[in-house]
Amino acid sequence: MRIRITFARQGDLRFTGNLDLQKLWERGARRAGLPLAYSQGFHPQPKISLASALPLGFASRAEVVDMRLAEILPTDTLPARLNDALPSGLRVLHVESVEDGAPALQTELEAAEYEVTIDRADLPTDFETLVEQTLRLETIPRERRGRPYNLRPLILDLRTVPQKSANQAASEPKGPHLWMRLAAREAATGRPEEVLAAIGLGDASFRIERTALVFTWGRIPK
Amino acid sequence: MLSPEEIRARLDRLLPRVEKPGRYVGGEFNSVIKDWERVAIRVALIFPDIYDVGVSNVGLKILYDQVNQRQDALAERAYAPWFDMEALLREHRIPLYSLETKHPLSCFDLLGFSLPYETLYTNVLNILDLAGIPLRSAERGESDPIVIGGGHATTNPEPVNEFFDAFVIGEGEEAIHDVISAMLAARAEGASREGLLRRLASIAGVYVPSLYRVHYLSDDTIERVEPVVPYAPSLITKRIVPVLPPPPTDFLVPNIDIVHNRVSVEIMRGCTRGCRFCQAGMITRPVRERSVAEIVDAAEQAINATGFEELALLSLSSSDYSRIDELVDAVSERFQGRKLTISLPSLRIESVSVDLMEKLKEHRSAGFTLAPEAATERMRRIINKFIPDEQILDTTREIYRRGWKTIKLYFMIGHPSETLEDVRAIANLCKRVLAEGRAVLGWKAHLHAGVSTFVPKPQTPFQWVSCDTRERILQKQALLKREFRTDKNIKLSWTDPADTLLEAWLSRGDRRLAAVIHSAWQKGARFDAWHEGFKASVWREAFAEHDLDPYFYTHRQRRTDEVFPWEHITAAVRKNFLFQDFRASLEGEIRVDCRLNCFACGILPTFASMRRDHPGEVWKCPEVRSPARGSMSLTPAHELPLAVHSE
């Protein structure tokens, strides 16, 4: 049986790398008593695959992992069962069963959406203008690991988020300040911190949360 | 002082800039977060090495459970930050904090440092400094936490005496509660820090170094150590628990990869073999075993509670666990079909060990490790670990024959009176072992020779001997490298002599080393156990600054009547016993496993009433049946019911 788990990743778990997260799911599933299916061979590995790597420090409320089980189980009790067995930074939102032969998640991912909250001290007064200027550019040449590329086509959408400062007179506006949808295909993945650098906020302090993943078959969360 | 919320906010910004930020955030499954406001005593348990090494430490896990099970106390954790994180903490003025609630360490009532090895000392200083706590006990005030150390290195705590308010000598399971009770009582009566130290000093096994004065002779050796107050005992005897308490099962499951991702169950404590170089074997007596049922149940509970993929059954000598066959059968049956690696370290070199590992083959790991320690009969008699060459060859042949492709053999160079011929014999033995493997596996057979360098440790029969000099060590290592150069299937690993000598003076030093350690830390020494950290030149300068000579501590043959710096601390194995054993070593005389013949090491007279109250198989020492006498209930060795040898 193959199950698809939608989960949020917050707090301390923002600082766990993708390989370690794989291990975390493996151990969490065992603690929850799920009958993991293993690969054949000399070093059998559980069949767990994450849709998309999340950079260190990012939070997310829309992560997806596929997991193969050796038995067929009803999925409705699984969120509670898993949540009891997971560290507090991981939270299962939804579990559904998918066809065994369905394509791998990574191959079906098209885009990812992010919210960015910028530290008040680093928020420029002409923030909206800077964003508009960036969007008007036809090419945004950037470099990653020594290789030049054009960031602009990877930005599918980019908007400033109006602040409800009236209600929050006592405290500063909490954000988020920016919302973006970036390409997340296997050979073409936009990185939100690169977009911030293009806007001119490369040195600012900010927090980034992934809010949705867009697959060929639909969005998560739905 | 920053609040936990302020610390969290700063960490959010800084952590993406460090290597492996998961080291510094906590949030592990099975970590315990209690309400800070609702407990009286807050304890920070600190492993003064990097998170990756410290988080799996079983000793601290035991204490973490002991404290957190109390209603009136909480325990949180901290580790030494790596260089990159230390730089950021200092730059942004963030005090070192606990992983659970992010409280600065200075907000805790008690800091408990684990000191399993000596090369952590500079990290202790660095952690105190990062926490903004005065480094020296004498400089701390009423609002500073009490700083206590425990662990194997405290068999000689003198080199770090100035930095600790107290040490717990021996086992901490019960002592931690006595310490907390003393803190509660001191608080209830409004006692000063001095009053609390007084209470701590009256707890069995607790050593408060500031209450002692050391008198030196003109040759810089020690004349005597005396308490300066009447309530401090002249001899501090280690604590033990009569019966091992239930082992911890809900181990912390880290969110990042660490060194030992596994469940560990201690199957027994102590060792009856009496290898003369082995400090652990001397200081963890008596041998106390857990039952097969307790071990297997705990292992299963722990595997279920953690989801770990490896189980380690820990002891100093697994083969000597009295029901080892039964245990291995029970474990392999219980975990059949579960994807689990099971390690059973410290097996004796005999074919039975291969049978044991064979039973675990569904769970086995790649290599098979054995520790002959020496390669000539003469050396083996001296160190009291006697295994004939033929037995080693028979056992290793069997290991290769049953399909293990790599055998790892541990040796030590630098044992007392060792010659170059004894060292060459290590190479010859390895070649003969590999030849056995070749006969079975051809070129697929591999051998890994791990050759470390002996450090004569306090509270062992070899405490009188000197450590090999750097030149001598290099000469022996060069010989081995030469001998092994021709065979690609033999891998040799060795210890840098500088690391060995650092360990030697830190473990054998006296109180004057505290100033050296402090200077070395000031000059940047930290993570001395790491290649990235240790700098020999810094330590040379620190010694010179205080007009001390490392030679005095490491290379000097100690007089037979010398008073050791650690002599007011005892692991309940008497100096006279150790000396007799040292003499026996010089004669090449072997002492058998002490379950076969009690050599009256001192454990039984010290803990006679405890043994009397806990008769039977739990202990491997002879039973004590004589009636208790007086409040101390000490039974002189010659009155013990079983035959007692020596002295």
Side-chain angles (χ1 to χ4, degrees), chain B residues 154-372:
Chain B
T154 62
T155 41
N156 176 23
E158 293 299 82
V160 279
N161 77 92
E162 290 180 12
F163 313 115
F164 286 87
D165 298 309
F167 296 95
V168 173
I169 313 297
E171 298 170 3
E173 286 103 333
E174 294 177 353
I176 183 80
H177 295 292
D178 295 345
V179 167
I180 291 175
S181 300
M183 296 175 73
L184 289 167
R187 190 179 293 173
E189 71 181 18
S192 63
R193 195 174 182 88
E194 197 188 336
L196 173 55
L197 291 182
R198 179 178 181 146
R199 279 183 175 275
L200 291 175
S202 63
I203 298 172
V206 174
Y207 169 49
V208 178
S210 58
L211 305 180
Y212 296 77
R213 184 180 302 136
V214 180
H215 301 268
Y216 296 92
L217 294 168
S218 55
D219 68 355
D220 277 356
T221 61
I222 288 164
E223 183 198 354
R224 66 198 151 89
V225 178
E226 60 173 7
V228 294
V229 289
Y231 53 84
S234 53
L235 183 68
I236 300 98
T237 304
K238 74 162 180 181
R239 285 290 284 270
I240 61 168
V241 291
V243 179
L244 300 185
T249 53
D250 53 345
F251 290 91
L252 291 139
V253 187
N255 295 326
I256 58 168
D257 192 32
I258 59 163
V259 176
H260 290 303
N261 292 286
R262 67 185 190 192
V263 157
S264 303
V265 181
E266 191 185 15
I267 64 174
M268 65 175 182
R269 198 172 290 177
C271 180
T272 52
R273 288 276 144 184
C275 302
R276 293 177 177 125
F277 57 85
C278 178
Q279 190 188 44
M282 294 292 158
I283 68 172
T284 61
R285 299 172 177 213
V287 167
R288 287 142 295 163
E289 294 188 347
R290 287 196 165 105
S291 72
V292 170
E294 185 177 30
I295 294 164
V296 180
D297 288 346
E300 183 171 31
Q301 212 179 318
I303 291 296
N304 292 342
T306 60
F308 275 134
E309 39 293 298
E310 185 180 345
L311 164 67
L313 300 171
L314 297 185
S315 72
L316 292 173
S317 177
S318 300
S319 299
D320 292 321
Y321 177 72
S322 53
R323 298 178 196 283
I324 187 68
D325 279 304
E326 207 185 304
L327 175 66
V328 167
D329 285 339
V331 166
S332 61
E333 192 194 317
R334 186 73 65 98
F335 295 108
Q336 198 179 5
R338 290 175 71 163
K339 305 283 182 292
L340 196 65
T341 304
I342 299 175
S343 60
L344 186 63
S346 312
L347 286 170
R348 264 206 307 272
I349 305 176
E350 55 188 22
S351 55
V352 180
S353 300
V354 194
D355 296 336
L356 289 173
M357 289 298 281
E358 186 89 45
K359 286 184 190 172
L360 297 174
K361 81 172 168 223
E362 181 196 336
H363 307 287
R364 84 185 178 191
S365 48
F368 201 120
T369 303
L370 298 169

Side-chain angles (χ1 to χ4, degrees), chain B residues 406-604:
Chain B
T406 302
I407 293 180
K408 183 165 187 181
L409 295 179
Y410 280 122
F411 295 94
M412 245 188 237
I413 53 169
H415 291 304
S417 86
E418 184 185 56
T419 65
L420 288 180
E421 279 318 299
D422 294 309
V423 178
R424 195 185 311 278
I426 294 176
N428 290 338
L429 179 60
C430 288
K431 289 175 188 171
R432 287 170 71 195
V433 167
L434 186 62
E436 298 288 346
R438 288 241 163 89
V440 189
L441 296 169
W443 293 99
K444 284 182 182 161
H446 283 79
L447 185 131
H448 182 175
V451 185
S452 60
T453 308
F454 171 63
V455 171
K457 287 285 174 105
Q459 322 261 7
T460 69
F462 286 161
Q463 61 185 344
W464 285 272
V465 308
S466 64
C467 197
D468 263 355
T469 59
R470 183 169 177 277
E471 292 68 30
R472 187 83 179 141
I473 298 169
L474 287 173
Q475 192 183 13
K476 290 175 178 178
Q477 290 177 338
L479 189 158
L480 288 173
K481 288 177 206 173
R482 220 164 35 237
E483 288 285 332
F484 286 134
R485 198 164 43 197
T486 48
D487 200 320
K488 277 196 198 116
N489 287 16
I490 297 185
K491 183 185 159 203
L492 169 70
S493 55
W494 64 91
T495 317
D496 186 326
D499 294 346
T500 301
L501 297 179
L502 173 75
E503 184 189 339
W505 71 63
L506 287 179
S507 61
R508 297 166 64 77
D510 54 31
R511 288 193 163 195
R512 294 172 304 173
L513 272 196
V516 176
I517 293 168
H518 185 263
S519 291
W521 167 76
Q522 276 184 320
K523 295 173 194 298
R526 60 212 61 180
F527 287 110
D528 292 303
W530 292 77
H531 180 68
E532 292 89 335
F534 177 58
K535 287 181 199 70
S537 60
V538 161
W539 284 93
R540 272 197 302 275
E541 288 166 28
F543 267 99
E545 195 173 301
H546 298 282
D547 211 14
L548 290 170
D549 186 354
Y551 182 94
F552 176 82
Y553 297 102
T554 48
H555 303 312
R556 184 172 57 86
Q557 167 84 43
R558 310 233 173 172
R559 294 192 320 269
T560 55
D561 64 343
E562 181 164 335
V563 175
F564 294 119
W566 51 87
E567 203 141 321
H568 51 301
I569 311 257
T570 176
V573 173
R574 284 172 295 131
K575 188 180 186 185
N576 195 26
F577 165 83
L578 295 173
F579 189 65
Q580 295 295 333
D581 204 39
F582 174 46
R583 294 279 297 270
S585 156
L586 299 176
E587 308 285 322
E589 185 190 312
I590 291 170
R591 280 183 163 177
V592 295
D593 187 316
C594 68
R595 282 173 304 181
L596 305 174
N597 184 350
C598 172
F599 294 101
C601 68
I603 285 290
L604 269 187

Side-chain angles (χ1 to χ4, degrees), chain B residues 603-637:
Chain B
I603 285 290
L604 269 187
T606 308
F607 300 110
S609 64
M610 201 181 261
R611 178 62 172 134
R612 192 181 297 108
D613 294 343
H614 299 275
E617 275 197 49
V618 190
W619 286 36
K620 294 300 156 191
C621 291
E623 292 196 341
V624 174
R625 294 206 186 83
S626 54
R629 293 181 314 177
S631 58
M632 290 297 287
S633 338
L634 284 181
T635 308

Side-chain angles (χ1 to χ4, degrees), chain B residues 10-150:
Chain B
R10 293 193 190 192
L11 288 177
D12 265 3
R13 282 196 289 273
L14 298 178
L15 285 176
R17 292 162 57 185
V18 300
E19 175 200 354
K20 289 181 89 170
R23 287 167 175 163
Y24 309 108
V25 293
E28 304 93 338
F29 194 75
N30 289 330
S31 58
V32 178
I33 296 181
K34 295 177 86 168
D35 188 340
W36 183 265
E37 300 303 329
R38 295 185 68 167
V39 298
I41 301 290
R42 293 144 187 157
V43 182
L45 297 171
I46 303 166
F47 194 91
D49 204 329
I50 195 165
Y51 176 90
D52 316 36
V53 174
V55 77
S56 54
N57 182 271
V58 182
L60 274 192
K61 170 61 185 162
I62 291 172
L63 297 179
Y64 189 72
D65 285 357
Q66 291 290 336
V67 177
N68 280 325
Q69 279 157 14
R70 294 176 68 115
Q71 292 281 315
D72 57 356
L74 63 73
E76 302 190 2
R77 295 162 300 132
Y79 305 91
W82 194 241
F83 295 94
D84 56 349
M85 183 63 170
E86 180 192 339
L88 285 180
L89 290 174
R90 291 191 186 280
E91 183 192 343
H92 295 269
R93 300 181 184 281
I94 302 174
L96 195 61
Y97 55 89
S98 67
L99 292 189
E100 277 80 358
T101 61
K102 313 287 184 294
H103 278 89
L105 293 183
S106 55
C107 296
F108 286 80
D109 302 298
L110 168 62
L111 304 188
F113 280 92
S114 174
L115 302 172
Y117 35 92
E118 298 81 3
T119 40
L120 298 177
Y121 290 160
T122 51
N123 283 6
V124 172
L125 271 63
N126 206 39
I127 286 169
L128 290 171
D129 185 62
L130 282 167
I133 296 166
L135 298 187
R136 293 189 170 86
S137 170
E139 296 159 356
R140 289 180 201 134
E142 295 296 333
S143 63
D144 289 313
I146 291 286
V147 180
I148 297 187

